[in-house]
Amino acid sequence: MSNPAERAEKLTDALRESGIRLTRQRRLLLDIVSRSDDHPDAVELHRRATDQMPGISLSTVYRTLSALEEHGVVQRHQFQNDTARFEPADGAHHDHMIDLDSGEVVEFHSDQIERLQSELAAEAGYEIVAHRMELYVRKIDKEG
Amino acid sequence: MSNPAERAEKLTDALRESGIRLTRQRRLLLDIVSRSDDHPDAVELHRRATDQMPGISLSTVYRTLSALEEHGVVQRHQFQNDTARFEPADGAHHDHMIDLDSGEVVEFHSDQIERLQSELAAEAGYEIVAHRMELYVRKIDKEG
DNA sequence: AACCAGTTGCGAACGATTTGCAAGTACGTC
DNA sequence: GACGTACTTGCAAATCGTTCGCAACTGGTT
Ligand SMILES: [Mn+2]
Ligand SMILES: [Mn+2]
Ligand SMILES: [Zn+2]
Ligand SMILES: [Zn+2]
């Protein structure tokens, strides 16, 4: 939908309008998260941030990620037995497959599943506020 | 599939065969979990166990639940922002809807979704080892 | 009845995340 | 461009669900 640079810019604009104070730390983290496509966790984001801002604290990373999440520009995912992972929240909704061997996270989407989920909820008298679907997978072995 | 009594008995048999030692604490917890249909967490199970065995420790509850999980007679679920919840693992696979207002957990199953999940994984070159699907829902408001 | 590896209760440790607080800073106002 | 203040930061300590070390205990076997 957008390259990392405009993605970060778009998110910065969204933030400025929401009245949140744009500190150096927040700008940096927003930029780093926007450019990431690998669902990093807080410690990894702190590591990346430290390259450009040596003194930044892990607390600030956590606080900033929570703030960015509240303002809807970042999404948090809590996969099984793992630390929370983050990604920019600009794209369309999608779910995740986690490769158990490599740890790689693959994104996917199925309109059909989403529709069925809504129907099943409706049948039970509910509307869906949020959902989570994760497939823990292994590469299919092509060898004999 | 089975009433709580035979359910507990069936699970006890499965355990005995697996060589695990059947202590009073394990028998009690196995019985309590088998009779539960509300996905209790460790603290709640400890509370229920204490009624019949005042001295039982929370550590033992946690250790026992892990043991029962390893032996395949109990299943653990980690819903969003919540402690781990447990249920007997004798029935067929199902997924969960969590009522955000009441906390109630509703079970559901869709062959069609399960099939689509496998197809999507296969398309990406993967086979599913495990998956998790949770719908966080609210009762549909019938009022104007 | 004796044996002993597995299990328990207790308290301490763990680890990811959050929080209190004093010092620092963004940003609207003059 | 400096000022004032409410918001933010870095640090260290707290939190909290869960796990772990260890000495005492016990299930199941001989
Ligand atoms: Mn993603
Ligand atoms: Mn269930
Ligand atoms: Zn989805
Ligand atoms: Zn399922």
Side-chain angles (χ1 to χ4, degrees), chain A residues 32-50:
Chain A
I32 291 172
V33 175
S34 301
R35 292 172 196 289
S36 73
D37 66 341
D38 55 345
H39 306 80
D41 68 4
V43 170
E44 172 60 18
L45 288 167
H46 180 243
R47 207 189 54 63
R48 294 182 194 177
T50 301

PDB file of all heavy atoms in Angstrom, chain A residues 32-50:
ATOM      1  N   ILE A  32      11.161   3.226  13.126  1.00  0.00           N
ATOM      2  CA  ILE A  32      11.681   1.853  13.123  1.00  0.00           C
ATOM      3  C   ILE A  32      10.558   0.831  12.940  1.00  0.00           C
ATOM      4  O   ILE A  32      10.677  -0.096  12.139  1.00  0.00           O
ATOM      5  CB  ILE A  32      12.462   1.564  14.431  1.00  0.00           C
ATOM      6  CG1 ILE A  32      13.752   2.375  14.448  1.00  0.00           C
ATOM      7  CG2 ILE A  32      12.769   0.080  14.563  1.00  0.00           C
ATOM      8  CD1 ILE A  32      14.493   2.310  15.765  1.00  0.00           C
ATOM      9  N   VAL A  33       9.466   1.021  13.669  1.00  0.00           N
ATOM     10  CA  VAL A  33       8.352   0.076  13.528  1.00  0.00           C
ATOM     11  C   VAL A  33       7.788   0.129  12.112  1.00  0.00           C
ATOM     12  O   VAL A  33       7.493  -0.894  11.509  1.00  0.00           O
ATOM     13  CB  VAL A  33       7.236   0.375  14.553  1.00  0.00           C
ATOM     14  CG1 VAL A  33       6.035  -0.531  14.310  1.00  0.00           C
ATOM     15  CG2 VAL A  33       7.744   0.181  15.962  1.00  0.00           C
ATOM     16  N   SER A  34       7.674   1.338  11.572  1.00  0.00           N
ATOM     17  CA  SER A  34       7.097   1.491  10.232  1.00  0.00           C
ATOM     18  C   SER A  34       7.897   0.746   9.175  1.00  0.00           C
ATOM     19  O   SER A  34       7.343   0.212   8.219  1.00  0.00           O
ATOM     20  CB  SER A  34       7.047   2.975   9.852  1.00  0.00           C
ATOM     21  OG  SER A  34       6.288   3.703  10.776  1.00  0.00           O
ATOM     22  N   ARG A  35       9.216   0.748   9.359  1.00  0.00           N
ATOM     23  CA  ARG A  35      10.074   0.111   8.375  1.00  0.00           C
ATOM     24  C   ARG A  35      10.205  -1.392   8.592  1.00  0.00           C
ATOM     25  O   ARG A  35      10.804  -2.086   7.786  1.00  0.00           O
ATOM     26  CB  ARG A  35      11.478   0.734   8.426  1.00  0.00           C
ATOM     27  CG  ARG A  35      11.523   2.163   7.950  1.00  0.00           C
ATOM     28  CD  ARG A  35      12.895   2.788   8.210  1.00  0.00           C
ATOM     29  NE  ARG A  35      12.831   4.239   8.102  1.00  0.00           N
ATOM     30  CZ  ARG A  35      12.661   4.877   6.933  1.00  0.00           C
ATOM     31  NH1 ARG A  35      12.585   4.209   5.805  1.00  0.00           N
ATOM     32  NH2 ARG A  35      12.578   6.199   6.913  1.00  0.00           N
ATOM     33  N   SER A  36       9.707  -1.883   9.711  1.00  0.00           N
ATOM     34  CA  SER A  36       9.885  -3.311  10.004  1.00  0.00           C
ATOM     35  C   SER A  36       8.794  -4.141   9.341  1.00  0.00           C
ATOM     36  O   SER A  36       7.660  -3.717   9.218  1.00  0.00           O
ATOM     37  CB  SER A  36       9.860  -3.539  11.512  1.00  0.00           C
ATOM     38  OG  SER A  36       8.549  -3.389  12.001  1.00  0.00           O
ATOM     39  N   ASP A  37       9.176  -5.308   8.882  1.00  0.00           N
ATOM     40  CA  ASP A  37       8.181  -6.195   8.292  1.00  0.00           C
ATOM     41  C   ASP A  37       8.320  -7.591   8.878  1.00  0.00           C
ATOM     42  O   ASP A  37       7.889  -8.573   8.301  1.00  0.00           O
ATOM     43  CB  ASP A  37       8.327  -6.235   6.772  1.00  0.00           C
ATOM     44  CG  ASP A  37       9.642  -6.859   6.355  1.00  0.00           C
ATOM     45  OD1 ASP A  37      10.564  -6.924   7.188  1.00  0.00           O
ATOM     46  OD2 ASP A  37       9.751  -7.298   5.192  1.00  0.00           O
ATOM     47  N   ASP A  38       8.929  -7.662  10.083  1.00  0.00           N
ATOM     48  CA  ASP A  38       9.221  -8.977  10.662  1.00  0.00           C
ATOM     49  C   ASP A  38       8.643  -9.166  12.067  1.00  0.00           C
ATOM     50  O   ASP A  38       9.066 -10.041  12.799  1.00  0.00           O
ATOM     51  CB  ASP A  38      10.738  -9.188  10.703  1.00  0.00           C
ATOM     52  CG  ASP A  38      11.451  -8.058  11.449  1.00  0.00           C
ATOM     53  OD1 ASP A  38      10.830  -7.005  11.678  1.00  0.00           O
ATOM     54  OD2 ASP A  38      12.634  -8.230  11.806  1.00  0.00           O
ATOM     55  N   HIS A  39       7.687  -8.337  12.473  1.00  0.00           N
ATOM     56  CA  HIS A  39       7.044  -8.507  13.773  1.00  0.00           C
ATOM     57  C   HIS A  39       8.032  -8.598  14.933  1.00  0.00           C
ATOM     58  O   HIS A  39       8.041  -9.580  15.679  1.00  0.00           O
ATOM     59  CB  HIS A  39       6.143  -9.749  13.763  1.00  0.00           C
ATOM     60  CG  HIS A  39       5.146  -9.739  12.648  1.00  0.00           C
ATOM     61  ND1 HIS A  39       5.469 -10.094  11.360  1.00  0.00           N
ATOM     62  CD2 HIS A  39       3.846  -9.403  12.614  1.00  0.00           C
ATOM     63  CE1 HIS A  39       4.409  -9.984  10.588  1.00  0.00           C
ATOM     64  NE2 HIS A  39       3.403  -9.563  11.297  1.00  0.00           N
ATOM     65  N   PRO A  40       8.883  -7.581  15.119  1.00  0.00           N
ATOM     66  CA  PRO A  40       9.868  -7.587  16.216  1.00  0.00           C
ATOM     67  C   PRO A  40       9.211  -7.401  17.583  1.00  0.00           C
ATOM     68  O   PRO A  40       8.115  -6.858  17.678  1.00  0.00           O
ATOM     69  CB  PRO A  40      10.758  -6.389  15.886  1.00  0.00           C
ATOM     70  CG  PRO A  40       9.873  -5.468  15.098  1.00  0.00           C
ATOM     71  CD  PRO A  40       8.972  -6.373  14.301  1.00  0.00           C
ATOM     72  N   ASP A  41       9.898  -7.831  18.635  1.00  0.00           N
ATOM     73  CA  ASP A  41       9.384  -7.612  19.989  1.00  0.00           C
ATOM     74  C   ASP A  41      10.051  -6.371  20.584  1.00  0.00           C
ATOM     75  O   ASP A  41      10.882  -5.725  19.938  1.00  0.00           O
ATOM     76  CB  ASP A  41       9.582  -8.848  20.868  1.00  0.00           C
ATOM     77  CG  ASP A  41      11.046  -9.133  21.176  1.00  0.00           C
ATOM     78  OD1 ASP A  41      11.926  -8.353  20.777  1.00  0.00           O
ATOM     79  OD2 ASP A  41      11.313 -10.167  21.803  1.00  0.00           O
ATOM     80  N   ALA A  42       9.676  -6.037  21.817  1.00  0.00           N
ATOM     81  CA  ALA A  42      10.145  -4.787  22.429  1.00  0.00           C
ATOM     82  C   ALA A  42      11.660  -4.752  22.562  1.00  0.00           C
ATOM     83  O   ALA A  42      12.294  -3.721  22.303  1.00  0.00           O
ATOM     84  CB  ALA A  42       9.489  -4.600  23.792  1.00  0.00           C
ATOM     85  N   VAL A  43      12.247  -5.884  22.949  1.00  0.00           N
ATOM     86  CA  VAL A  43      13.695  -5.916  23.139  1.00  0.00           C
ATOM     87  C   VAL A  43      14.416  -5.723  21.806  1.00  0.00           C
ATOM     88  O   VAL A  43      15.412  -4.992  21.718  1.00  0.00           O
ATOM     89  CB  VAL A  43      14.125  -7.248  23.803  1.00  0.00           C
ATOM     90  CG1 VAL A  43      15.633  -7.407  23.775  1.00  0.00           C
ATOM     91  CG2 VAL A  43      13.615  -7.275  25.240  1.00  0.00           C
ATOM     92  N   GLU A  44      13.899  -6.344  20.759  1.00  0.00           N
ATOM     93  CA  GLU A  44      14.501  -6.188  19.430  1.00  0.00           C
ATOM     94  C   GLU A  44      14.359  -4.744  18.941  1.00  0.00           C
ATOM     95  O   GLU A  44      15.293  -4.169  18.385  1.00  0.00           O
ATOM     96  CB  GLU A  44      13.838  -7.148  18.440  1.00  0.00           C
ATOM     97  CG  GLU A  44      14.229  -6.954  16.984  1.00  0.00           C
ATOM     98  CD  GLU A  44      15.714  -7.135  16.722  1.00  0.00           C
ATOM     99  OE1 GLU A  44      16.391  -7.744  17.582  1.00  0.00           O
ATOM    100  OE2 GLU A  44      16.202  -6.665  15.662  1.00  0.00           O
ATOM    101  N   LEU A  45      13.206  -4.146  19.170  1.00  0.00           N
ATOM    102  CA  LEU A  45      13.008  -2.746  18.778  1.00  0.00           C
ATOM    103  C   LEU A  45      13.933  -1.837  19.571  1.00  0.00           C
ATOM    104  O   LEU A  45      14.486  -0.866  19.039  1.00  0.00           O
ATOM    105  CB  LEU A  45      11.542  -2.347  18.988  1.00  0.00           C
ATOM    106  CG  LEU A  45      10.573  -2.978  17.979  1.00  0.00           C
ATOM    107  CD1 LEU A  45       9.131  -2.807  18.418  1.00  0.00           C
ATOM    108  CD2 LEU A  45      10.796  -2.374  16.587  1.00  0.00           C
ATOM    109  N   HIS A  46      14.147  -2.164  20.838  1.00  0.00           N
ATOM    110  CA  HIS A  46      15.068  -1.384  21.661  1.00  0.00           C
ATOM    111  C   HIS A  46      16.488  -1.501  21.116  1.00  0.00           C
ATOM    112  O   HIS A  46      17.215  -0.521  21.023  1.00  0.00           O
ATOM    113  CB  HIS A  46      15.021  -1.878  23.113  1.00  0.00           C
ATOM    114  CG  HIS A  46      15.927  -1.150  24.045  1.00  0.00           C
ATOM    115  ND1 HIS A  46      16.961  -1.771  24.707  1.00  0.00           N
ATOM    116  CD2 HIS A  46      15.973   0.155  24.410  1.00  0.00           C
ATOM    117  CE1 HIS A  46      17.595  -0.866  25.439  1.00  0.00           C
ATOM    118  NE2 HIS A  46      17.014   0.298  25.285  1.00  0.00           N
ATOM    119  N   ARG A  47      16.843  -2.717  20.697  1.00  0.00           N
ATOM    120  CA  ARG A  47      18.165  -2.934  20.120  1.00  0.00           C
ATOM    121  C   ARG A  47      18.342  -2.068  18.865  1.00  0.00           C
ATOM    122  O   ARG A  47      19.345  -1.385  18.687  1.00  0.00           O
ATOM    123  CB  ARG A  47      18.331  -4.414  19.766  1.00  0.00           C
ATOM    124  CG  ARG A  47      19.766  -4.927  19.780  1.00  0.00           C
ATOM    125  CD  ARG A  47      19.864  -6.336  19.214  1.00  0.00           C
ATOM    126  NE  ARG A  47      19.274  -6.477  17.887  1.00  0.00           N
ATOM    127  CZ  ARG A  47      19.703  -5.857  16.790  1.00  0.00           C
ATOM    128  NH1 ARG A  47      20.747  -5.046  16.869  1.00  0.00           N
ATOM    129  NH2 ARG A  47      19.106  -6.032  15.640  1.00  0.00           N
ATOM    130  N   ARG A  48      17.326  -2.098  18.008  1.00  0.00           N
ATOM    131  CA  ARG A  48      17.410  -1.311  16.780  1.00  0.00           C
ATOM    132  C   ARG A  48      17.436   0.179  17.083  1.00  0.00           C
ATOM    133  O   ARG A  48      18.141   0.946  16.423  1.00  0.00           O
ATOM    134  CB  ARG A  48      16.218  -1.634  15.860  1.00  0.00           C
ATOM    135  CG  ARG A  48      16.252  -3.065  15.352  1.00  0.00           C
ATOM    136  CD  ARG A  48      15.091  -3.384  14.405  1.00  0.00           C
ATOM    137  NE  ARG A  48      14.993  -4.837  14.226  1.00  0.00           N
ATOM    138  CZ  ARG A  48      14.053  -5.442  13.502  1.00  0.00           C
ATOM    139  NH1 ARG A  48      13.123  -4.730  12.888  1.00  0.00           N
ATOM    140  NH2 ARG A  48      14.037  -6.759  13.398  1.00  0.00           N
ATOM    141  N   ALA A  49      16.683   0.602  18.076  1.00  0.00           N
ATOM    142  CA  ALA A  49      16.628   2.028  18.410  1.00  0.00           C
ATOM    143  C   ALA A  49      17.963   2.494  18.968  1.00  0.00           C
ATOM    144  O   ALA A  49      18.404   3.618  18.708  1.00  0.00           O
ATOM    145  CB  ALA A  49      15.517   2.281  19.419  1.00  0.00           C
ATOM    146  N   THR A  50      18.606   1.627  19.724  1.00  0.00           N
ATOM    147  CA  THR A  50      19.869   1.978  20.370  1.00  0.00           C
ATOM    148  C   THR A  50      20.956   2.349  19.363  1.00  0.00           C
ATOM    149  O   THR A  50      21.842   3.143  19.660  1.00  0.00           O
ATOM    150  CB  THR A  50      20.334   0.815  21.268  1.00  0.00           C
ATOM    151  OG1 THR A  50      19.316   0.568  22.238  1.00  0.00           O
ATOM    152  CG2 THR A  50      21.628   1.147  21.977  1.00  0.00           C
TER     153      THR A  50
END
